[in-house]
Amino acid sequence: MFNKILIANRGEIACRVAATAHRLGVKSVAVYSEADANAKHVAVCDESVLIGPPPAKESYLRADKIIEVALATGAQAIHPGYGFLSENDEFAEACAKAGLVFIGPPASAIRAMGSKSAAKALMEKANVPLVPGYHGDNQDADFLREQADKIGYPVLLKASAGGGGKGMRIVEKSEDFKAALESCKREAINSFGDDKVLVEKYLTRPRHIEIQVFADTHGNCVYLFERDCSVQRRHQKVLEEAPAPGMTEERRRAMGEAAVAAAKAVGYVGAGTVEFIANQDGSFYFMEMNTRLQVEHPVTEMITGHDLVEWQLRVAFGETLPKQQDELRIHGHALEARIYAENPEKGFLPSIGTLQHMHTPEAVSFQLGNGVVPGNPAAVRIDSGVREGDAISPFYDPMIAKLIVWGNDREEALAHMSQALSEFQVVGLSANVAFLKRLVESRPFSQADLDTGLIERNHDALFPQAAPVSLQILGLAAASLLSAEQNDGIAANDPWANTSGWRMNTALMRTLEFAEEATTYPVSVSYRDAGWNIGVGAPSSVMTLVERKGQHLVIKVDGTAVRGTVVRAADVFHVFTGGAHYVLNYNDPLAHAGEAEAEGGRLTAPMPGKIVALLVDKGKTVEKGTPLLIMEAMKMEHTIAAPANGTVEELLYAVGDQVAEGAQLLAFKAA
């Protein structure tokens, strides 16, 4: 086995690879950018080396610098993780030339599968079923539209060199084709340096099922069964599970053998994933091959009991596969939820900031590497590259963690996932935890009525209108505030700082104003000898504090016990109770005395990014919802639209300009 490897990545995958390396007694070297100087992956590796400034192209994509560090530290091999240089054939070749082992497939296999159009041609020769479409070199816009017209709408435009949901557009009718093509090509050239696209028939209710394959240098190739990755948003996976619901043994074998044939067709070595698009009738078509370890690989590990990173290291070292096909078995069911710093209610807009508070469900030890699946049906695994106090920056993917659960069957795994999400708390930035919980508990997902349009098709159910905040929730926030005031006064040992509410011959009355986005709650509080009378508008209920341990509280409202966690971040109270997260803004009249309202008419950048397109001119009169400009941030394009009917008075940036979060992008005057 290797003595030392360099991990050419960051975040949770770098931590994941380092964990297996440590278990096997292999030293690990981390590389990091200036933005990641205090990152978790730097802390868990045996050595770490700075490789450049925060932008990935100046650090994690610097192949020459990474190879230089590997040689200087005595690493024998480089594990690329996923993303960055993991599917870069030139990097794989450069490693070989430098005498380093690239822990992945040969450069020729990466090259063969790196172009979606070339891969389709190879798969056709290998008799792997393909979706109808055009995968050729002619990129003339009129020609491509003619091909789309022949295929029949809807069609899917895909960047040939793409991946991760980037450079993909669904086109519903011919007249929308050219605008979609321009947007697709623009995103493709920015993300991959190649604007070539292919056109395919878009299946209306397809499932996304992928097969995990593994091959060694001795001619062995196996499939470690399937994963269902149908639940997606913006063509990016949200929930993954293994095995795929409703999969028959016959279909599993057919898809597995097709995946092995695809791998053998390109002389594959190592871990790879062959992705298929599957019809509801059971037919399936080759979509693409990811020549690396997948983000969702833990669900395969959970149902097989095998450590896929260990397999990667052993195969790269020249060993044979640890198991043959007839030795592999499926045990139970596993689900993975991707916890992202994003706001689902605002179009899944990525969020940046500091993880001021992060509480995760207790992870149960799930030993890998010996093929034995533990008998504990409540197994919970958390793969994360961040800790409480760390920042999610605009430079990289906004993943907080991967939450993986295992159960004896799908129903049990669903119950464990729901419970685990109830216990996952994030404060400091927006996160998708509550959305994931609604998704897992939704009727279509729980009944395995799966397809890639599940989220859009069930939008209203997954994004319900917020119900009014109950008195119990407001009570938790109020009790947290009031008890903190009392304790602070006592701790100060200052009678003038005491805020117990004592008054001679009367009770103190005060109003605490909490607000959500659209609703304000004036919580009236009347102090009692033991507790308070509270209510919205008038203090009509009796509240007592039963217990407080740090941020965890137990209160009683009219005799009913309510448990929760309250995290205060400045004037925002985050209340976690009953598996839900409530965000309440506290209007402290003293803290905000004299503040003026923000200037109106300003359209600002939601996060740091780059202007990629200006869609209107100065002086243009527009209607509400009209796209005004497009900015690129965190690997995605965001369209800034007119908030009302009005006039664009001034454009403040040009195409290509970098903008800071909160920067005014243009001056707009409402009609």
Side-chain angles (χ1 to χ4, degrees):
M1 179 50 68
F2 301 112
N3 296 320
K4 183 186 289 187
I5 64 171
L6 181 143
I7 304 171
N9 217 297
R10 64 175 302 280
E12 64 87 14
I13 186 57
C15 296
R16 165 72 190 89
V17 174
T20 289
H22 179 75
R23 182 173 64 79
L24 297 177
V26 177
K27 299 292 185 183
S28 58
V29 180
V31 291
Y32 65 94
S33 72
E34 292 170 355
D36 280 340
N38 298 311
K40 181 179 177 181
H41 79 277
V42 174
V44 300
C45 287
D46 298 291
E47 301 174 49
S48 59
V49 179
L50 174 67
I51 54 171
K57 66 181 179 181
E58 299 177 45
S59 51
Y60 296 107
L61 291 174
R62 282 286 306 273
D64 57 338
K65 183 68 175 177
I66 289 170
I67 289 174
E68 177 186 317
V69 171
L71 294 173
T73 57
Q76 301 157 291
I78 294 180
H79 195 302
Y82 47 69
F84 294 136
L85 295 168
S86 63
E87 295 180 278
N88 187 307
D89 59 300
E90 293 180 356
F91 179 59
E93 285 183 335
C95 288
K97 288 179 181 177
L100 298 164
V101 176
F102 178 75
I103 303 175
S108 57
I110 299 175
R111 198 155 37 240
M113 288 300 189
S115 166
K116 286 185 172 63
S117 53
K120 301 264 177 167
L122 277 170
M123 294 305 101
E124 191 170 21
K125 291 181 181 177
N127 295 317
V128 178
L130 300 176
V131 177
Y134 176 73
H135 314 120
D137 295 327
N138 190 336
Q139 294 293 293
D140 178 74
D142 290 330
F143 175 80
L144 290 175
R145 183 164 72 172
E146 288 176 9
Q147 299 306 305
D149 292 345
K150 289 178 183 177
I151 295 167
Y153 294 90
V155 297
L156 180 64
L157 287 171
K158 298 170 69 175
S160 182
K166 306 297 187 300
M168 299 175 72
R169 299 290 185 277
I170 299 169
V171 188
E172 299 286 351
K173 51 186 184 294
S174 184
E175 49 265 41
D176 295 340
F177 185 87
K178 286 195 174 180
L181 178 64
E182 289 174 5
S183 177
C184 184
K185 282 181 169 289
R186 183 168 57 240
E187 188 170 86
I189 196 73
N190 288 336
S191 298
F192 314 112
D194 183 350
D195 68 353
K196 185 179 178 182
V197 302
L198 51 85
V199 187
E200 289 184 343
K201 178 67 177 176
Y202 182 72
L203 304 182
T204 54
R205 284 204 61 194
R207 288 174 65 178
H208 182 141
I209 298 176
E210 60 189 32
I211 305 293
Q212 176 72 61
V213 294
F214 236 104
D216 61 24
T217 56
H218 304 278
N220 301 303
C221 187
V222 300
Y223 61 91
L224 287 91
F225 314 114
E226 78 281 354
R227 299 183 287 258
D228 193 307
C229 308
S230 299
V231 183
Q232 304 178 7
R233 53 101 175 117
R234 289 179 175 171
H235 306 292
Q236 291 184 311
K237 299 160 188 173
V238 177
L239 292 171
E240 299 100 355
E241 59 183 304
M247 178 67 74
T248 65
E249 284 300 326
E250 181 182 19
R251 187 182 180 198
R252 175 175 292 126
R253 187 179 306 108
M255 295 184 76
E257 290 175 355
V260 168
K264 288 183 174 180
V266 293
Y268 202 79
V269 174
T273 300
V274 182
E275 303 197 355
F276 294 98
I277 190 166
N279 258 327
Q280 296 292 330
D281 63 6
S283 58
F284 60 92
Y285 307 97
F286 173 84
M287 187 163 56
E288 63 182 335
M289 183 175 187
N290 289 303
T291 53
R292 53 171 167 77
L293 197 65
Q294 290 280 83
V295 177
E296 57 273 19
H297 76 273
V299 292
T300 296
E301 294 183 324
M302 295 285 261
I303 66 164
T304 63
H306 294 292
D307 183 334
L308 298 190
V309 174
E310 178 181 346
W311 280 39
Q312 284 187 298
L313 296 179
R314 293 195 180 283
V315 165
F317 193 65
E319 297 180 19
T320 58
L321 290 177
K323 298 288 181 180
Q324 294 301 310
Q325 193 66 59
D326 59 2
E327 298 177 287
L328 295 169
R329 299 287 185 274
I330 294 175
H331 304 273
H333 200 95
L335 293 166
E336 174 179 298
R338 301 188 186 190
I339 312 293
Y340 273 108
E342 63 183 12
N343 191 331
E345 281 71 26
K346 294 184 178 179
F348 296 96
L349 190 68
S351 179
I352 60 174
T354 300
L355 288 161
Q356 299 170 1
H357 168 82
M358 185 170 77
H359 177 269
T360 62
E362 183 178 354
V364 178
S365 177
F366 198 100
Q367 186 178 359
L368 295 169
N370 56 7
V372 177
V373 176
N376 189 337
V380 175
R381 169 176 162 182
I382 298 170
D383 286 11
S384 180
V386 295
R387 303 149 298 189
E388 185 173 283
D390 287 349
I392 301 294
S393 78
F395 301 107
Y396 315 114
D397 187 82
M399 179 180 282
I400 296 172
K402 298 186 309 194
L403 176 63
I404 312 106
V405 302
W406 180 87
N408 286 303
D409 52 31
R410 188 173 191 265
E411 183 179 2
E412 194 173 72
L414 282 169
H416 296 324
M417 178 60 79
S418 178
Q419 179 61 35
L421 287 167
S422 296
E423 299 172 15
F424 208 113
Q425 302 172 1
V426 174
V427 171
L429 36 71
S430 297
N432 63 342
V433 177
F435 168 75
L436 289 170
K437 189 171 189 297
R438 292 195 300 271
L439 184 56
V440 167
E441 295 174 352
S442 69
R443 184 175 180 274
F445 186 78
S446 62
Q447 295 189 358
D449 183 15
L450 306 175
D451 65 80
T452 56
L454 184 149
I455 292 176
E456 290 79 7
R457 196 175 65 255
N458 296 278
H459 183 275
D460 292 346
L462 294 173
F463 294 92
Q465 287 190 340
V469 177
S470 69
L471 185 60
Q472 286 80 8
I473 306 305
L474 294 168
L476 282 168
S480 174
L481 173 64
L482 296 169
S483 63
E485 287 178 347
Q486 292 177 352
N487 291 335
D488 288 347
I490 294 170
N493 199 26
D494 179 355
W496 304 108
N498 190 296
T499 54
S500 62
W502 180 86
R503 293 292 186 274
M504 182 179 290
N505 299 324
T506 188
L508 171 62
M509 297 278 293
R510 62 188 288 200
T511 298
L512 308 176
E513 189 173 278
F514 294 100
E516 289 185 293
E517 286 190 0
T519 309
T520 299
Y521 301 92
V523 179
S524 298
V525 178
S526 173
Y527 285 64
R528 297 162 49 92
D529 290 339
W532 308 267
N533 287 336
I534 70 165
V536 177
S540 56
S541 296
V542 176
M543 179 177 75
T544 56
L545 178 63
V546 178
E547 180 180 77
R548 175 167 185 164
K549 292 182 178 179
Q551 297 167 320
H552 307 290
L553 289 84
V554 180
I555 63 172
K556 280 189 177 181
V557 179
D558 290 337
T560 301
V562 184
R563 298 175 181 274
T565 300
V566 182
V567 180
R568 182 173 182 177
D571 288 342
V572 181
F573 283 73
H574 296 262
V575 181
F576 298 92
T577 183
H581 177 197
Y582 302 86
V583 181
L584 299 172
N585 293 286
Y586 172 53
N587 182 15
D588 185 340
L590 295 178
H592 299 284
E595 288 186 0
E597 291 187 3
E599 179 185 347
R602 300 166 65 94
L603 287 162
T604 58
M607 65 187 66
K610 181 173 69 174
I611 304 299
V612 296
L614 296 174
L615 306 178
V616 293
D617 298 321
K618 178 181 177 181
K620 178 74 172 178
T621 299
V622 297
E623 296 181 351
K624 180 179 179 180
T626 301
L628 304 177
L629 60 84
I630 299 173
M631 64 176 290
E632 183 184 68
M634 299 188 83
K635 305 180 184 177
M636 292 194 295
E637 289 191 355
H638 305 277
T639 300
I640 307 299
N645 296 342
T647 303
V648 178
E649 294 189 319
E650 189 175 1
L651 297 168
L652 302 178
Y653 290 93
V655 172
D657 286 351
Q658 295 285 339
V659 296
E661 180 181 8
Q664 182 180 357
L665 301 174
L666 50 83
F668 180 83
K669 183 176 181 180

